[in-house]
């Protein structure tokens, strides 16, 4: 029921990104049916298109009774050896994510990193 779905939402990781490299990312709003939303960041190098990440994540969430919408996308440059993540660019299909929101999520997940963002770049 509702409690199980709310618990599933709570367990959804806020950030899931590759351990290093430059790759596409999407900002998603995940919802339990009719309930409040939670914004999450997903970024992976295997994705040729932003939609690839969105669709795979949506399928995983659907199995837990959750749905999601894409709030936009961009790119991440993750340099673990320098402890830096840079957020930039946009998605042709979904538009530009709010990189400031993404940056806050990444800072919470990687507190010892320098996380920066810029609206320019593709």
């Amino acid at each position: 029921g509702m409690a199980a779905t709310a618990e599933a939402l709570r367990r959804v990781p806020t950030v899931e990104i590759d351990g290093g490299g430059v790759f596409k990312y999407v900002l998603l709003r995940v919802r339990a049916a009719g309930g409040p939303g939670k914004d999450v960041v997903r970024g992976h190098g295997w994705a040729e298109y932003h939609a690839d990440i969105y669709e795979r994540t949506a399928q995983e969430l659907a199995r837990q009774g959750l749905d999601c919408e894409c709030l936009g996308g961009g790119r991440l440059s993750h340099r673990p050896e320098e402890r830096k993540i840079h957020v930039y660019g946009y998605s042709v299909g979904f538009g530009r994510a709010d990189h400031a929101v993404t940056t806050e999520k990444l800072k919470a997940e990687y507190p010892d990193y320098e996380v920066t963002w810029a609206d320019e770049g593709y």
Side-chain angles (χ1 to χ4, degrees):
M2 286 297 284
T5 314
E7 175 62 20
L9 179 67
R10 197 182 62 73
R11 281 201 305 267
V12 173
T14 304
V15 173
E16 280 183 355
I17 66 170
D18 286 2
V22 175
F23 43 84
K24 292 183 168 76
Y25 94 88
V26 291
L27 185 63
L28 304 172
R29 179 158 292 156
V30 184
R31 279 207 178 85
K38 170 178 172 176
D39 293 353
V40 304
V41 177
R42 296 290 181 270
H44 300 292
W46 53 255
E48 189 176 353
Y49 301 103
H50 290 90
D52 297 338
I53 306 175
Y54 168 68
E55 285 162 12
R56 185 179 293 189
T57 307
Q59 286 171 354
E60 290 170 1
L61 292 168
R63 289 198 284 269
Q64 302 163 57
L66 303 171
D67 52 47
C68 68
E69 62 176 311
C70 189
L71 304 178
R75 286 175 190 259
L76 297 179
S77 168
H78 184 188
R79 301 201 293 281
E81 65 286 348
E82 297 171 46
R83 286 202 160 89
K84 286 183 180 177
I85 300 176
H86 186 59
V87 186
Y88 67 101
Y90 63 93
S91 161
V92 174
F94 296 117
R96 189 191 314 281
D98 186 338
H99 296 329
V101 170
T102 301
T103 296
E104 288 310 305
K105 307 266 178 209
L106 291 168
K107 279 180 175 171
E109 190 75 16
Y110 295 90
D112 58 338
Y113 269 57
E114 178 190 341
V115 186
T116 56
W117 66 274
D119 267 343
E120 59 270 6
Y122 165 68

